[in-house]
Amino acid sequence: DAKTTQPTSMDCAEGRAANLPCNHSTISGNEYVYWYRQIHSQGPQYIIHGLKNNETNEMASLIITEDRKSSTLILPHATLRDTAVYYCIVGTSGTYKYIFGTGTRLKVLA
Amino acid sequence: DVKVTQSSRYLVKRTGEKVFLECVQDMDHENMFWYRQDPGLGLRLIYFSYDVKMKEKGDIPEGYSVSREKKERFSLILESASTNQTSMYLCASRPGTLGLGYTFGSGTRLTVV
């Protein structure tokens, strides 16, 4: 399965959009991009996933580049409650061993 | 609201004890997983199960075993607890359907003294 690279940490002002990048240059054609977040002392929470097209749900938007080698998770109006570690992972529907790296620690500032 | 429930939020056990961590999901998911999470190491997969009575080793299975006698329940067993097994343990489940993501439990923080 492809590996991902994310920045270690980011800050974002409350109310502004938070844009979290992820590189997955070795992604293969049948691998999805998944995003999760983990608020301190809780289990990770699923946010969104996509294959080729951009996706949006009530939590976030996912923008995947045309070559699929990178993606960006967008939290349109970040709140203090969005402070968390965000994980980008890739895998196929049949993948059992998703690799969670150390993610991006997002701090939303008042 | 769908749930993955881990039986204990915090546990303290003694070295050498046999420890059982229980996980129950109410979503009729085929796949279940046990991870441990340590600072600086991210989440590491211990074992997973893709069906009742089926199990596969993950990346760090040594010192652990698992049991899945019913679809909704996946147990992690520390045969003889050691201090290096002090960690946060996370259970997750996932349907077998194409592309869908995990649902995680809240975690069990195990301290072995």
Side-chain angles (χ1 to χ4, degrees), chain A residues 95-106:
Chain A
T95 299
Y96 293 110
K97 295 172 64 173
Y98 289 112
I99 299 171
F100 284 79
T102 51
T104 297
R105 187 172 297 276
L106 175 70

Side-chain angles (χ1 to χ4, degrees), chain B residues 7-57:
Chain B
S7 54
S8 302
R9 189 80 176 94
Y10 298 96
L11 272 180
V12 180
K13 296 292 182 181
R14 294 195 180 278
T15 302
E17 276 193 75
K18 190 169 186 176
V19 181
F20 294 85
L21 303 183
E22 306 289 344
C23 175
V24 177
Q25 50 100 359
D26 64 0
M27 298 164 283
D28 201 36
H29 284 173
E30 288 78 12
N31 305 319
M32 296 188 74
F33 306 81
W34 276 105
Y35 285 86
R36 65 177 281 177
Q37 185 173 30
D38 302 287
L41 297 178
L43 278 74
R44 293 181 291 167
L45 181 63
I46 305 171
Y47 267 98
F48 63 94
S49 167
Y50 51 88
D51 202 352
V52 175
K53 297 190 186 294
M54 306 303 290
K55 60 185 179 184
E56 292 286 342
K57 293 180 180 179

Side-chain angles (χ1 to χ4, degrees), chain A residues 32 34 36 38 41-44 46 49 87 89 92-98 100-102, chain B residues 9 31 33 35 37 40 42-43 45 48 50 59 90 94 98-102 104-106:
Chain A
Y32 289 79
Y34 297 86
Y36 291 80
Q38 187 173 24
S41 298
Q42 297 181 21
Y46 165 81
H49 75 281
Y87 297 97
I89 61 174
T92 67
S93 62
T95 299
Y96 293 110
K97 295 172 64 173
Y98 289 112
F100 284 79
T102 51
Chain B
R9 189 80 176 94
N31 305 319
F33 306 81
Y35 285 86
Q37 185 173 30
L43 278 74
L45 181 63
F48 63 94
Y50 51 88
D59 298 316
L90 290 159
R94 194 188 78 173
L98 185 73
L100 296 179
Y102 292 119
F104 279 88
S106 298

